[in-house]
Amino acid sequence: MGKFVRQLLPFGSLTLIICILSALEPDTFLTTENLLNILRRSSVNGIIAIGMTSIIISAGIDLSVGSMLALSGMVGAYAMIAIGGSDPQGSSLIIGTALGIVIGVICGFTNGVLITKLKLQPFIVTLGTMSVFRGISYVMNNGQPYNVPSYKYLGEGIVLGVPISVIIFGVIIAIAGFLLKYSRLGRYTYAIGSNRVAAFHAGVNVDRNLIYIYTFTGLLVGIAAMIATSRTVSAQPTAGIALELDIIAAVVIGGASLAGGRGTITGTITGTLLISVLRNGCTLLGISTHVQLIVIGMIIILAVAVDQLAQTKTSELQAP
Amino acid sequence: MTTSAQSNLSGPFDSVQGRPQQGNASKGGTRIALRMTGISKSFGPVQALSDVSFTVRAGTVHALVGENGAGKSTLVKILAGVYQPDKGSTEINEKPYTFDRPDQALAVGVSMIYQDLDLAEHLTVAENVFLGNEPKGRLPFTVDYKAMVKRTAELAKSFSFDIDPAAVVSQLPTGDCQVAAIIKALARRASIIIMDEPTSSLSETEVERLFEVVRQLREKGISVIYISHRLEEIIGLADDVTVLRDGRVVHSESVTKLDIAQIVRYMVGRELTEFFPARDVKPGDVRVRVDNLSSDSRIKEVSFNLAAGEIVGMAGLVGAGRTEVARAIFGVDKKASGSIVLDNKELSINSPADAISNGIALLTEDRKRTGLCLGLACSWNVTIASLGLLGMKRIINPARENKIAADIGEQLSIKWLGPQAPVDSLSGGNQQKLLIARWLLAKSKFMIFDEPTRGIDVGAKKEVYSLLNRLAEEGKAILFISSELPELFGITDRILVMRRGRLVGNLKTSETTQEEVMHLAAVETD
């Protein structure tokens, strides 16, 4: 029962907010264009949040995703320019995209190795790499962005009326959702987060699985980075500052526990959309971005508080 | 029950077996520092203490002994205000008290020194001594460090303890930490000091020094309640001894009237009953050969064999290295040397994953910490060690998994709401059966059970024994680690005895006695 409430809660709130906004602003909110816009804006955060969900379920955290986003974008765009000149086209864009994604993978792998092999806390390691990745992004072009004016496809492209970025988002949701629920790696992720020592004693190769999880997140950040780069047709060394907090908020609103062992992809997607819809709605209603911050902060606390309450209720019910 | 087993004995002054007590009043006065009467305490279905009476004379060292789980810790924790008794009364210096919290016991002079000492490691000795009770400095919100150091030094001197009050605790040897903890107790005007296994982590010279300290305390009229498994220590140090067994006082007397053999008899004296299911298996060929096993964590050159269908017990005191043997075999701890041969194949094991894939199982002693993922579903916990074996190496088929879990649950008659119920909704005994189910699914050939009946009720214990028998009948090799001698004698074919990291006994169960095993486990022979 409690589990049901927990999963329903973010989804219910999302539905409620959508209903309210539809009623208040039927002409602007409830249009295909606006809804697709929300999805498109959610895709970058959502893709990263999926990776963060797996990390948080394993009782870890990754504070470096924002910096990783900037670094992947910068390296990708740099490669495009280095190969294709000041307005790179065609194959140079593809190579740059691939390279940017590979950088994300390398960053995530580095986090995973440092955490497991040096036995350091994820919080500390990624706090460090957050700074390192950001620093490299600034150093690369003296703090200036790389402009790639023709790199538009990922950000603006549309297939059958649906933005490419939304399609990528959807594919990643499906794959990650399947992996987390049905793969052995996904199962071990929950086990490690629930009780790392017990998982080890049950024969789980904890270190290897954690490295997979952080590397997987790096891969997703790399993909998100190239979408973000394409959307602004430039790679900004300042991209993604404080992004990790938004991402963690989405995952937590979605019902994951920072203590590990609990969380779902659907919950995280709902959490991501909840924040996006709220932002969008506030903008439509003319509420300033400053006030939006207050609203989102309160929602985070409210979500966790209600969740906590539901959990205490269940554990009381379970007492023999 | 032995003849002297009376639950309401209250101490050396009530004559035990009709003996008068005048002879052993050489140490300590006749004033009663502590009188606990009719103490009972249960935890859920487990009766930890039944009608225990316990009397300590002022200025004496009173040893409290008993097997693991006999109720020693529970009794002193009640005295220290950590637990509240269901029944019974406590008098300190002839005044009745009830403690709801530890600080209330502290306030009337009862101080407990825990095994892990409870010191703030990064603070100095003086800071620890006055922790929470600091002398105020001149300015508001400040602490007078000089006064703290000075008073600690004075206190140490008055008991002739040699310790530097300004030393940081983490820099001190364990023996000095113990002294620091004792001074801390004295600073709170303790008149009764409880020491729980104080020598378990001390070197021999440190033990000698601690004894000196304890004798100093006695000279100054302080009563010391001394819990130890090391009986030779007790003979040398204590004035009186109280033996607990199964939550009852079975004997309480002056130490001078007892020898180690008698104390051991009181500790284990219990009849084997029909409680243990009969088993009719002839041990087959040798399946497991452990040779010269040493690990960094305290075990040295341990060698033994296990045959198919044989249940071999492992006895020893807490800290003797039994769990460490299991951990070294299972690949949790690094082996320093030694080999493990299973079915004539020498195994190379560097992790539990290696051990499991070679057919070894370890049911760990702490099922909550090292066994179960408590928040997750029962089915997940059952299959976790054998997903590959069950044909779900990469992708899990939840329906199939659920079926497998449900089947094995039925086979072991696990009481649950279903395989999808979270593990923490199960009782301790059913959680334990769940873990056994895990290793059945993993098709283990060599199964190590570390304290499998700890903290589960009597009925569940019996089921666990039957399961062990069944596994033995299937030809598995079973190593059964337990601190409870009766169950070792009830179900094993052979008993290995560990002491201080070494294997000191390998006895046929039918040809030995609990006394012999306890003697090997507890008494230094060399």
Side-chain angles (χ1 to χ4, degrees), chain A residues 227-313:
Chain A
I227 294 175
T229 303
S230 175
R231 184 172 299 151
T232 54
V233 287
S234 71
Q236 309 279 345
T238 53
I241 286 181
L243 178 70
E244 60 282 348
L245 301 180
D246 261 9
I247 303 287
I248 294 168
V251 176
V252 169
I253 290 174
S257 159
L258 286 180
R262 199 152 71 77
T264 57
I265 296 295
T266 43
T268 293
I269 300 307
T270 315
T272 309
L273 291 178
L274 193 70
I275 294 179
S276 296
V277 169
L278 217 59
R279 287 231 164 96
N280 177 268
C282 287
T283 313
L284 291 181
L285 291 170
I287 298 171
S288 81
T289 46
H290 303 164
V291 178
Q292 287 177 27
L293 286 176
I294 301 174
V295 174
I296 289 172
M298 294 196 314
I299 297 235
I300 294 171
I301 294 171
L302 189 73
V304 179
V306 174
D307 188 75
Q308 193 74 33
L309 214 67
Q311 228 181 348
T312 348
K313 280 261 167 63

Side-chain angles (χ1 to χ4, degrees), chain B residues 17 28 61 103 220 228 248 267 339 344 364 408 411 425 439 448-449 451-452 477 491 508 512 516 518-519 522:
Chain B
Q17 296 171 337
V61 177
D103 57 296
K220 305 277 177 187
S228 179
R248 293 169 189 278
M267 282 166 69
S339 66
N344 297 318
T364 57
I408 194 111
Q411 204 185 1
S425 65
W439 298 120
I448 307 170
F449 291 84
E451 303 282 2
I491 69 166
K508 266 204 137 97
T512 183
E516 185 182 13
M518 184 50 94
H519 201 267

